[in-house]
Amino acid sequence: MHMLRFPDSLVAGYRNFMTGRYVDERERYRVLAETGQKPQTLVIACCDSRAAPETIFDAGPGELFVVRNVANMVPPYEPDGHYHATSAALEFAVQALKVRDIIVMGHGRCGGIRAALDPNAEPLSPGDFIGKWMGLLKPAAEQIQTNSVMTAGERQTALERISIRNSIANLKSFPCVKILEERGKLNIHGAWFDIGNGELWIMNRETRDFERLEF
Amino acid sequence: MHMLRFPDSLVAGYRNFMTGRYVDERERYRVLAETGQKPQTLVIACCDSRAAPETIFDAGPGELFVVRNVANMVPPYEPDGHYHATSAALEFAVQALKVRDIIVMGHGRCGGIRAALDPNAEPLSPGDFIGKWMGLLKPAAEQIQTNSVMTAGERQTALERISIRNSIANLKSFPCVKILEERGKLNIHGAWFDIGNGELWIMNRETRDFERLEF
Amino acid sequence: MHMLRFPDSLVAGYRNFMTGRYVDERERYRVLAETGQKPQTLVIACCDSRAAPETIFDAGPGELFVVRNVANMVPPYEPDGHYHATSAALEFAVQALKVRDIIVMGHGRCGGIRAALDPNAEPLSPGDFIGKWMGLLKPAAEQIQTNSVMTAGERQTALERISIRNSIANLKSFPCVKILEERGKLNIHGAWFDIGNGELWIMNRETRDFERLEF
Amino acid sequence: MHMLRFPDSLVAGYRNFMTGRYVDERERYRVLAETGQKPQTLVIACCDSRAAPETIFDAGPGELFVVRNVANMVPPYEPDGHYHATSAALEFAVQALKVRDIIVMGHGRCGGIRAALDPNAEPLSPGDFIGKWMGLLKPAAEQIQTNSVMTAGERQTALERISIRNSIANLKSFPCVKILEERGKLNIHGAWFDIGNGELWIMNRETRDFERLEF
């Protein structure tokens, strides 16, 4: 392995996989390779190492089509000819794979949200990609930032949830999403995972408040 | 739960998580929430439901910072003020989290690669986001597309691996990545996962060929 | 009973009490009458019929000295010679009964808080007592009221918790409270009861965030 | 729980509540949260730990809107722009919740009444809030104080009952109360609870004497 210089921890993890669950799932992988994937669900989640959808939903191969970016955001629909990673994945999931459910999943202690709330944040590099990316949340972040009566923790959680609602609204700005949702062929859900205690909060469609899922 | 209308399969999966591995990992999540995440590794992987990094590397919370887009691509460095999901996540991982390793992980049977190889591919929607996104691979795709002596499967695998090399080259167009790699503080790796049989192939740094990892 | 015209439901409830738990607690009441009350805890709670401290804490006679007003508020220390119901009860609890703990307990769906957040609220009577009383929260209410990115439910919960922190700050403006707390003879706690699902959230002393109490 | 440092006895009591009566009342709380409270009765009671209305009337969630202050007093109607806790709660109960019954409930061994009868009482703190508060009873207290032929116990009980009548008279100084009572839409009751033996005495509307309620 040192010839290939692949991180030891990943080699060890891959070995655990191949000698563990893969033994039980081998046939399933084979079939999925032959027939293609038919996941029912698109999950738009954060890159955060503590909030992996497959872990949280105990998902096996073939179940979840997963997009992960910083702060689980969906930009608004802009068919301007530039390349848009999240829009491309969304289009593929909805039009090609024909998923039935889209979950926008945020989480607590999100670094992207924290950056958006920091009035003194410096660009991480001259490109300031994170600054621009989190700019998708700017109006909401400014309202929350100036609130002096909520604690830092409350502002953080508030903006994390606002971001999920914002992403859901942007999802609906995609014509294919809007049309399919209206026809009852696509359901959009919001979820927020508390990495501190494992709680999962689901967005109530009517009130748009987040409520703890009891299991 | 019907009031919150969350997919039953995900509720069941979450229950399995909370009554299963979370019981053992509870303290780890708690500490990670308090101290923050310090993942050593950034993985750039595909959205494909059959190729989840956490599964393949048996990773637990806190280990992998994961970006997932169609065909695990990294666009070239373009600090043009627009928002770039993958570039933002890369900047955050390298500059804020200071990861030590970046893995670009592709896989077999990739739908994005298949689309890039299909000369008759129609846009999935008027926005044609996938068409534009896979355009990142256009020069390479055109060469492979016109190859008449390789089988469809060989062309598919070839372009999947070319794409990984392409993403790695684009990674190095980011100044912060280039500088840190030259100083030995950042290692870049390519990997390709065969979803049909579980094999993991690692890119040899010298030859840039992919070689099967034995475990 | 019709001679005394006391509500039937209360007569029935009193009968349940006397033939039920009073039978077991009879001796305790007798002793408490003779020796006097020595409650360790002062609870400042809301009048709301769904948030009774004795119920939520399963308290028996002699345990809790309870002040209840609209929105569980503690006004700031103002020794101006007027009569102040909450200040008088606080003074009695701290100086005469020498309680060890003070709990300021708020709750979800609080009508007083809802009134404070309603920009169109009309006075309930010419005296506008509720309007003036909720004015104790005015600066905080105005900040929350103008937030357009949080849901109505989020604003409600935010102000309920802000109000608890506000009451705790006002408690500390009473010299007797401040002195005893500094000497470690008095502990002040914040709690918030979710009447919808029975959850009790406790204020973390360091962060001042509310965290769910697991039992 | 030690992180949140909430009194152990209250944590234990809350656990008893959640594993006991809450199991039976869960649905009731849920409905009350959604539809709002509609208590029929306002109770003005004392803070005393031995005289909790919910206990004495075996009341469940949603039944009683409860104000508790020292010596269960209602100050006279004074719309002077200051904040008045008891007046605000009264206004809310009568005008917003539209209660049908108001119970002023006093009790034996009341510490506030004892203080009012003590000619040598020193202020409990420089603010002398209790002194001022009990001043609401001053004329009556002075008459009873100087009575040399009643025992201390008789003077105590006498002033407790005088105080209830005093509070009822002050209730009627509130225009909204007076109007609704005259129209038969609001009934005012006096009650006195003997903490020593559990007896409940109700005020006879005609004579204004207190008579023991048999159950």
Side-chain angles (χ1 to χ4, degrees), chain B residues 163-185:
Chain B
S163 178
I164 295 167
R165 290 196 288 265
N166 202 50
S167 289
I168 289 175
N170 286 343
L171 272 178
K172 300 186 190 193
S173 71
F174 282 72
C176 59
V177 172
K178 191 163 147 63
I179 289 167
L180 289 166
E181 200 204 11
E182 284 168 359
R183 291 182 190 174
K185 295 198 175 294

PDB file of all heavy atoms in Angstrom, chain B residues 163-185:
ATOM      1  N   SER B 163     -11.628  10.933 -16.040  1.00  0.00           N
ATOM      2  CA  SER B 163     -12.315  11.983 -15.289  1.00  0.00           C
ATOM      3  C   SER B 163     -11.679  12.194 -13.920  1.00  0.00           C
ATOM      4  O   SER B 163     -11.531  13.328 -13.459  1.00  0.00           O
ATOM      5  CB  SER B 163     -13.801  11.618 -15.118  1.00  0.00           C
ATOM      6  OG  SER B 163     -14.448  12.623 -14.353  1.00  0.00           O
ATOM      7  N   ILE B 164     -11.258  11.104 -13.299  1.00  0.00           N
ATOM      8  CA  ILE B 164     -10.608  11.230 -12.001  1.00  0.00           C
ATOM      9  C   ILE B 164      -9.288  11.984 -12.169  1.00  0.00           C
ATOM     10  O   ILE B 164      -8.983  12.920 -11.410  1.00  0.00           O
ATOM     11  CB  ILE B 164     -10.359   9.833 -11.372  1.00  0.00           C
ATOM     12  CG1 ILE B 164     -11.712   9.165 -11.070  1.00  0.00           C
ATOM     13  CG2 ILE B 164      -9.528   9.958 -10.093  1.00  0.00           C
ATOM     14  CD1 ILE B 164     -11.620   7.679 -10.733  1.00  0.00           C
ATOM     15  N   ARG B 165      -8.543  11.643 -13.183  1.00  0.00           N
ATOM     16  CA  ARG B 165      -7.261  12.342 -13.431  1.00  0.00           C
ATOM     17  C   ARG B 165      -7.517  13.807 -13.757  1.00  0.00           C
ATOM     18  O   ARG B 165      -6.774  14.698 -13.328  1.00  0.00           O
ATOM     19  CB  ARG B 165      -6.486  11.667 -14.558  1.00  0.00           C
ATOM     20  CG  ARG B 165      -5.924  10.298 -14.172  1.00  0.00           C
ATOM     21  CD  ARG B 165      -4.872   9.840 -15.144  1.00  0.00           C
ATOM     22  NE  ARG B 165      -5.424   9.456 -16.430  1.00  0.00           N
ATOM     23  CZ  ARG B 165      -5.743   8.206 -16.786  1.00  0.00           C
ATOM     24  NH1 ARG B 165      -5.591   7.212 -15.916  1.00  0.00           N
ATOM     25  NH2 ARG B 165      -6.206   7.957 -17.985  1.00  0.00           N
ATOM     26  N   ASN B 166      -8.566  14.063 -14.491  1.00  0.00           N
ATOM     27  CA  ASN B 166      -8.964  15.422 -14.858  1.00  0.00           C
ATOM     28  C   ASN B 166      -9.287  16.238 -13.595  1.00  0.00           C
ATOM     29  O   ASN B 166      -8.860  17.389 -13.450  1.00  0.00           O
ATOM     30  CB  ASN B 166     -10.214  15.334 -15.733  1.00  0.00           C
ATOM     31  CG  ASN B 166     -10.411  16.563 -16.582  1.00  0.00           C
ATOM     32  OD1 ASN B 166      -9.502  17.012 -17.262  1.00  0.00           O
ATOM     33  ND2 ASN B 166     -11.602  17.124 -16.525  1.00  0.00           N
ATOM     34  N   SER B 167     -10.048  15.643 -12.705  1.00  0.00           N
ATOM     35  CA  SER B 167     -10.403  16.323 -11.451  1.00  0.00           C
ATOM     36  C   SER B 167      -9.159  16.600 -10.630  1.00  0.00           C
ATOM     37  O   SER B 167      -9.031  17.668 -10.035  1.00  0.00           O
ATOM     38  CB  SER B 167     -11.392  15.474 -10.644  1.00  0.00           C
ATOM     39  OG  SER B 167     -12.662  15.470 -11.268  1.00  0.00           O
ATOM     40  N   ILE B 168      -8.230  15.638 -10.621  1.00  0.00           N
ATOM     41  CA  ILE B 168      -7.005  15.843  -9.849  1.00  0.00           C
ATOM     42  C   ILE B 168      -6.193  16.995 -10.444  1.00  0.00           C
ATOM     43  O   ILE B 168      -5.669  17.841  -9.712  1.00  0.00           O
ATOM     44  CB  ILE B 168      -6.189  14.534  -9.773  1.00  0.00           C
ATOM     45  CG1 ILE B 168      -6.914  13.539  -8.864  1.00  0.00           C
ATOM     46  CG2 ILE B 168      -4.765  14.802  -9.286  1.00  0.00           C
ATOM     47  CD1 ILE B 168      -6.289  12.153  -8.786  1.00  0.00           C
ATOM     48  N   ALA B 169      -6.143  17.057 -11.773  1.00  0.00           N
ATOM     49  CA  ALA B 169      -5.423  18.165 -12.410  1.00  0.00           C
ATOM     50  C   ALA B 169      -6.083  19.494 -12.061  1.00  0.00           C
ATOM     51  O   ALA B 169      -5.416  20.484 -11.750  1.00  0.00           O
ATOM     52  CB  ALA B 169      -5.401  17.964 -13.919  1.00  0.00           C
ATOM     53  N   ASN B 170      -7.425  19.504 -12.066  1.00  0.00           N
ATOM     54  CA  ASN B 170      -8.129  20.746 -11.720  1.00  0.00           C
ATOM     55  C   ASN B 170      -7.923  21.121 -10.258  1.00  0.00           C
ATOM     56  O   ASN B 170      -7.853  22.307  -9.912  1.00  0.00           O
ATOM     57  CB  ASN B 170      -9.622  20.620 -12.034  1.00  0.00           C
ATOM     58  CG  ASN B 170      -9.900  20.696 -13.524  1.00  0.00           C
ATOM     59  OD1 ASN B 170      -9.049  21.148 -14.308  1.00  0.00           O
ATOM     60  ND2 ASN B 170     -11.073  20.257 -13.934  1.00  0.00           N
ATOM     61  N   LEU B 171      -7.818  20.119  -9.405  1.00  0.00           N
ATOM     62  CA  LEU B 171      -7.528  20.390  -7.988  1.00  0.00           C
ATOM     63  C   LEU B 171      -6.237  21.186  -7.887  1.00  0.00           C
ATOM     64  O   LEU B 171      -6.145  22.154  -7.132  1.00  0.00           O
ATOM     65  CB  LEU B 171      -7.344  19.088  -7.210  1.00  0.00           C
ATOM     66  CG  LEU B 171      -8.568  18.415  -6.601  1.00  0.00           C
ATOM     67  CD1 LEU B 171      -8.149  17.112  -5.919  1.00  0.00           C
ATOM     68  CD2 LEU B 171      -9.257  19.327  -5.602  1.00  0.00           C
ATOM     69  N   LYS B 172      -5.249  20.767  -8.666  1.00  0.00           N
ATOM     70  CA  LYS B 172      -3.950  21.420  -8.570  1.00  0.00           C
ATOM     71  C   LYS B 172      -3.929  22.810  -9.188  1.00  0.00           C
ATOM     72  O   LYS B 172      -2.939  23.530  -9.054  1.00  0.00           O
ATOM     73  CB  LYS B 172      -2.877  20.516  -9.183  1.00  0.00           C
ATOM     74  CG  LYS B 172      -2.783  19.172  -8.460  1.00  0.00           C
ATOM     75  CD  LYS B 172      -1.632  18.313  -8.959  1.00  0.00           C
ATOM     76  CE  LYS B 172      -1.751  16.923  -8.369  1.00  0.00           C
ATOM     77  NZ  LYS B 172      -0.539  16.106  -8.550  1.00  0.00           N
ATOM     78  N   SER B 173      -5.033  23.181  -9.868  1.00  0.00           N
ATOM     79  CA  SER B 173      -5.090  24.548 -10.399  1.00  0.00           C
ATOM     80  C   SER B 173      -5.513  25.520  -9.302  1.00  0.00           C
ATOM     81  O   SER B 173      -5.505  26.723  -9.485  1.00  0.00           O
ATOM     82  CB  SER B 173      -6.076  24.633 -11.575  1.00  0.00           C
ATOM     83  OG  SER B 173      -7.428  24.509 -11.123  1.00  0.00           O
ATOM     84  N   PHE B 174      -5.896  24.983  -8.133  1.00  0.00           N
ATOM     85  CA  PHE B 174      -6.245  25.852  -7.005  1.00  0.00           C
ATOM     86  C   PHE B 174      -4.945  26.186  -6.274  1.00  0.00           C
ATOM     87  O   PHE B 174      -4.260  25.292  -5.762  1.00  0.00           O
ATOM     88  CB  PHE B 174      -7.224  25.146  -6.047  1.00  0.00           C
ATOM     89  CG  PHE B 174      -8.632  25.126  -6.550  1.00  0.00           C
ATOM     90  CD1 PHE B 174      -8.996  24.301  -7.612  1.00  0.00           C
ATOM     91  CD2 PHE B 174      -9.602  25.941  -5.983  1.00  0.00           C
ATOM     92  CE1 PHE B 174     -10.302  24.300  -8.099  1.00  0.00           C
ATOM     93  CE2 PHE B 174     -10.912  25.934  -6.460  1.00  0.00           C
ATOM     94  CZ  PHE B 174     -11.261  25.115  -7.522  1.00  0.00           C
ATOM     95  N   PRO B 175      -4.589  27.453  -6.190  1.00  0.00           N
ATOM     96  CA  PRO B 175      -3.319  27.829  -5.579  1.00  0.00           C
ATOM     97  C   PRO B 175      -3.109  27.216  -4.184  1.00  0.00           C
ATOM     98  O   PRO B 175      -2.021  26.720  -3.891  1.00  0.00           O
ATOM     99  CB  PRO B 175      -3.396  29.358  -5.492  1.00  0.00           C
ATOM    100  CG  PRO B 175      -4.266  29.729  -6.643  1.00  0.00           C
ATOM    101  CD  PRO B 175      -5.302  28.647  -6.728  1.00  0.00           C
ATOM    102  N   CYS B 176      -4.140  27.257  -3.333  1.00  0.00           N
ATOM    103  CA  CYS B 176      -3.920  26.741  -1.982  1.00  0.00           C
ATOM    104  C   CYS B 176      -3.609  25.255  -2.018  1.00  0.00           C
ATOM    105  O   CYS B 176      -2.767  24.770  -1.241  1.00  0.00           O
ATOM    106  CB  CYS B 176      -5.141  27.022  -1.085  1.00  0.00           C
ATOM    107  SG  CYS B 176      -6.713  26.318  -1.636  1.00  0.00           S
ATOM    108  N   VAL B 177      -4.216  24.524  -2.938  1.00  0.00           N
ATOM    109  CA  VAL B 177      -3.936  23.088  -3.035  1.00  0.00           C
ATOM    110  C   VAL B 177      -2.514  22.862  -3.529  1.00  0.00           C
ATOM    111  O   VAL B 177      -1.751  22.067  -2.969  1.00  0.00           O
ATOM    112  CB  VAL B 177      -4.937  22.397  -3.999  1.00  0.00           C
ATOM    113  CG1 VAL B 177      -4.537  20.949  -4.255  1.00  0.00           C
ATOM    114  CG2 VAL B 177      -6.345  22.469  -3.429  1.00  0.00           C
ATOM    115  N   LYS B 178      -2.166  23.600  -4.564  1.00  0.00           N
ATOM    116  CA  LYS B 178      -0.840  23.429  -5.167  1.00  0.00           C
ATOM    117  C   LYS B 178       0.275  23.699  -4.160  1.00  0.00           C
ATOM    118  O   LYS B 178       1.200  22.899  -4.011  1.00  0.00           O
ATOM    119  CB  LYS B 178      -0.731  24.376  -6.369  1.00  0.00           C
ATOM    120  CG  LYS B 178       0.448  24.146  -7.255  1.00  0.00           C
ATOM    121  CD  LYS B 178       0.233  24.847  -8.618  1.00  0.00           C
ATOM    122  CE  LYS B 178       1.582  25.322  -9.172  1.00  0.00           C
ATOM    123  NZ  LYS B 178       2.481  24.192  -9.430  1.00  0.00           N
ATOM    124  N   ILE B 179       0.123  24.810  -3.467  1.00  0.00           N
ATOM    125  CA  ILE B 179       1.149  25.197  -2.499  1.00  0.00           C
ATOM    126  C   ILE B 179       1.291  24.155  -1.392  1.00  0.00           C
ATOM    127  O   ILE B 179       2.404  23.735  -1.049  1.00  0.00           O
ATOM    128  CB  ILE B 179       0.799  26.576  -1.890  1.00  0.00           C
ATOM    129  CG1 ILE B 179       0.987  27.667  -2.942  1.00  0.00           C
ATOM    130  CG2 ILE B 179       1.667  26.862  -0.663  1.00  0.00           C
ATOM    131  CD1 ILE B 179       0.389  29.011  -2.555  1.00  0.00           C
ATOM    132  N   LEU B 180       0.170  23.739  -0.815  1.00  0.00           N
ATOM    133  CA  LEU B 180       0.230  22.789   0.289  1.00  0.00           C
ATOM    134  C   LEU B 180       0.752  21.429  -0.156  1.00  0.00           C
ATOM    135  O   LEU B 180       1.462  20.754   0.586  1.00  0.00           O
ATOM    136  CB  LEU B 180      -1.155  22.658   0.937  1.00  0.00           C
ATOM    137  CG  LEU B 180      -1.574  23.906   1.723  1.00  0.00           C
ATOM    138  CD1 LEU B 180      -3.064  23.859   2.052  1.00  0.00           C
ATOM    139  CD2 LEU B 180      -0.759  24.019   3.010  1.00  0.00           C
ATOM    140  N   GLU B 181       0.406  21.048  -1.393  1.00  0.00           N
ATOM    141  CA  GLU B 181       0.897  19.752  -1.886  1.00  0.00           C
ATOM    142  C   GLU B 181       2.407  19.792  -2.063  1.00  0.00           C
ATOM    143  O   GLU B 181       3.124  18.855  -1.682  1.00  0.00           O
ATOM    144  CB  GLU B 181       0.214  19.386  -3.202  1.00  0.00           C
ATOM    145  CG  GLU B 181       0.304  17.880  -3.481  1.00  0.00           C
ATOM    146  CD  GLU B 181       0.189  17.531  -4.942  1.00  0.00           C
ATOM    147  OE1 GLU B 181       0.238  18.441  -5.799  1.00  0.00           O
ATOM    148  OE2 GLU B 181       0.071  16.324  -5.233  1.00  0.00           O
ATOM    149  N   GLU B 182       2.883  20.911  -2.632  1.00  0.00           N
ATOM    150  CA  GLU B 182       4.331  21.044  -2.839  1.00  0.00           C
ATOM    151  C   GLU B 182       5.082  21.000  -1.505  1.00  0.00           C
ATOM    152  O   GLU B 182       6.195  20.492  -1.419  1.00  0.00           O
ATOM    153  CB  GLU B 182       4.643  22.348  -3.577  1.00  0.00           C
ATOM    154  CG  GLU B 182       4.314  22.256  -5.062  1.00  0.00           C
ATOM    155  CD  GLU B 182       4.335  23.622  -5.743  1.00  0.00           C
ATOM    156  OE1 GLU B 182       4.592  24.635  -5.049  1.00  0.00           O
ATOM    157  OE2 GLU B 182       4.095  23.666  -6.961  1.00  0.00           O
ATOM    158  N   ARG B 183       4.462  21.533  -0.438  1.00  0.00           N
ATOM    159  CA  ARG B 183       5.125  21.539   0.879  1.00  0.00           C
ATOM    160  C   ARG B 183       4.946  20.220   1.629  1.00  0.00           C
ATOM    161  O   ARG B 183       5.364  20.101   2.775  1.00  0.00           O
ATOM    162  CB  ARG B 183       4.538  22.663   1.734  1.00  0.00           C
ATOM    163  CG  ARG B 183       4.903  24.036   1.232  1.00  0.00           C
ATOM    164  CD  ARG B 183       4.324  25.099   2.168  1.00  0.00           C
ATOM    165  NE  ARG B 183       4.463  26.427   1.586  1.00  0.00           N
ATOM    166  CZ  ARG B 183       3.944  27.519   2.117  1.00  0.00           C
ATOM    167  NH1 ARG B 183       3.242  27.430   3.235  1.00  0.00           N
ATOM    168  NH2 ARG B 183       4.102  28.689   1.538  1.00  0.00           N
ATOM    169  N   GLY B 184       4.272  19.279   0.998  1.00  0.00           N
ATOM    170  CA  GLY B 184       4.076  17.985   1.666  1.00  0.00           C
ATOM    171  C   GLY B 184       3.004  17.986   2.726  1.00  0.00           C
ATOM    172  O   GLY B 184       2.924  17.075   3.543  1.00  0.00           O
ATOM    173  N   LYS B 185       2.170  19.000   2.725  1.00  0.00           N
ATOM    174  CA  LYS B 185       1.121  19.074   3.747  1.00  0.00           C
ATOM    175  C   LYS B 185      -0.215  18.547   3.242  1.00  0.00           C
ATOM    176  O   LYS B 185      -1.194  18.468   4.008  1.00  0.00           O
ATOM    177  CB  LYS B 185       0.960  20.523   4.199  1.00  0.00           C
ATOM    178  CG  LYS B 185       2.223  21.015   4.907  1.00  0.00           C
ATOM    179  CD  LYS B 185       1.951  22.253   5.730  1.00  0.00           C
ATOM    180  CE  LYS B 185       3.196  22.653   6.518  1.00  0.00           C
ATOM    181  NZ  LYS B 185       3.570  21.671   7.562  1.00  0.00           N
TER     182      LYS B 185
END
